[in-house]
Amino acid sequence: MKIGIVGTGMVGSTAGYAMALLGVGTEIVLVDANPALARAQAQDIAHATPFATTVAIRAGEYPDLDGAAVVIIAAGVGQKPGESRLALLERNVEVFRSVIGGIMKAAPDAILLIATNPLDVMTYVAQRISGLPPERVIGSGTILDTARLRSLLGDHLGIAPNSVHAYVLGEHGDSEVAVWSSAMAGSVPIVSFAEQIGRPLDEAARTRIAEQVKGAAYTIIEGKGATWYGIGAGLARIVGSIADDERTVLSVSMVNGDIEGVQSVPLSLPRIIGREGIIATLMPDLDTQERAALKRSAEVISDYTSKLRF
């Protein structure tokens, strides 16, 4: 399967590197507004493949995306000093007009996978500009926030993170919702599991862990300027589920018809991912507080999407 990546900074290149090492796809094409950067990233990643897999990776231009089944969009502009978030969003809308125009001309049947922040709003923008069905425009959403939650819970409980089944829903951002009411460790409700092994998850512990999940990006950005390894691996995981039609349940973003009364809002819920994109959306059992928090998260995102001009 051919995969495209538009935007080859740290996020885009790390996603390409992760896919190459994991053997996701057969060919990866890197496209960037700076062709020299795309060429350098492609060569550097290609030099790692003899140690891992036989995935072909090369730089190209938009026409080279012809036949791509998935195209990751990691392109965008940064915020200028004193610039409002809405002004930044409007500039990124113009970037996406150009990027998606080039992609759709070359690969009109591709699934779009969005990695540009603010993630949920840009997923909405990509769906509106491309005109593709919502299930074929996927935002990486809270896949990374969910991974962080599971990692922290694994540490707290002294078990492997992949034995933790818990989700972060809503916005990939400050209004995200850690869902405790349906969280499990193995086949046991996670609070009960914690009590049984003498590592209780009381309200204070749950609040601390949820705040650590929210604050993880800020901590990483403070230390090294940006995050890329976690999201790069998350993008590779999403593409892998599409490529192999795995039908894996992942917390990703798409434009939803109605979430708690909020219309046409992009946010993350657990979704089944396969060859055609998002096959189905699942709504976990939420308690009253979690439902209210999910509605607030939807309203935060909708406040921005409703102000965008197309």
Side-chain angles (χ1 to χ4, degrees), residues 85 89 117-121 140-146 148 167-178 213-214 218 251-254 256 259 265-269 271 293-304:
R85 194 176 189 218
L89 284 171
N117 280 321
L119 190 283
D120 300 289
V121 179
S140 57
T142 57
I143 190 170
L144 178 54
D145 310 277
T146 292
R148 288 168 174 161
Y167 289 97
V168 176
L169 308 181
E171 179 194 19
H172 172 57
D174 292 340
S175 72
E176 66 187 29
V177 182
V213 172
K214 287 184 185 180
Y218 298 114
S251 56
V252 296
S253 185
M254 68 173 277
N256 304 270
I259 296 293
V265 63
L267 53 67
S268 287
L269 292 169
R271 307 185 197 273
L294 185 62
K295 181 176 182 178
R296 285 195 298 272
S297 190
E299 289 170 344
V300 166
I301 300 167
S302 181
D303 186 54
Y304 282 102

Side-chain angles (χ1 to χ4, degrees), residues 203-262:
E203 185 175 353
R206 295 196 299 271
T207 299
R208 173 179 55 80
I209 289 171
E211 289 303 315
Q212 286 179 322
V213 172
K214 287 184 185 180
Y218 298 114
T219 302
I220 294 167
I221 290 167
E222 182 180 353
K224 70 174 195 176
T227 67
W228 54 80
Y229 293 124
I231 189 56
L235 291 165
R237 185 69 191 90
I238 296 167
V239 176
S241 188
I242 295 169
D244 294 334
D245 197 23
E246 292 179 8
R247 302 184 176 229
T248 311
V249 178
L250 301 171
S251 56
V252 296
S253 185
M254 68 173 277
V255 178
N256 304 270
D258 179 291
I259 296 293
E260 298 297 325
V262 183

Side-chain angles (χ1 to χ4, degrees), residues 25 37 43 47 61 65 71 148 151 184 191 200 224 229 240 268 271 298-299:
L37 176 62
Q43 288 181 29
H47 297 161
E61 298 180 353
L65 298 175
V71 178
R148 288 168 174 161
S151 177
M184 309 282 282
V191 173
K224 70 174 195 176
Y229 293 124
S268 287
R271 307 185 197 273
E299 289 170 344

Side-chain angles (χ1 to χ4, degrees), residues 52-132:
T53 63
T54 56
V55 175
I57 183 160
R58 63 188 178 90
E61 298 180 353
Y62 286 109
D64 296 301
L65 298 175
D66 178 38
V70 181
V71 178
I72 296 171
I73 303 179
V77 295
Q79 195 164 8
K80 297 177 179 178
E83 183 178 36
S84 70
R85 194 176 189 218
L86 184 59
L88 170 64
L89 284 171
E90 288 176 343
R91 288 202 296 130
N92 267 324
V93 168
E94 294 311 308
V95 171
F96 266 40
R97 285 191 197 280
S98 174
V99 167
I100 292 172
I103 294 169
M104 298 307 294
K105 186 175 181 180
D109 297 324
I111 293 169
L112 302 183
L113 177 53
I114 313 304
T116 302
N117 280 321
L119 190 283
D120 300 289
V121 179
M122 297 314 297
T123 300
Y124 176 88
V125 169
Q127 196 272 322
R128 284 287 303 272
I129 291 173
S130 69
L132 289 171

Side-chain angles (χ1 to χ4, degrees), residues 22-64:
L22 292 169
V24 176
T26 56
E27 180 184 3
I28 302 170
V29 179
L30 304 185
V31 177
D32 197 276
N34 179 352
L37 176 62
R39 288 194 298 271
Q41 300 284 35
Q43 288 181 29
D44 199 14
I45 296 169
H47 297 161
T49 58
F51 302 109
T53 63
T54 56
V55 175
I57 183 160
R58 63 188 178 90
E61 298 180 353
Y62 286 109
D64 296 301

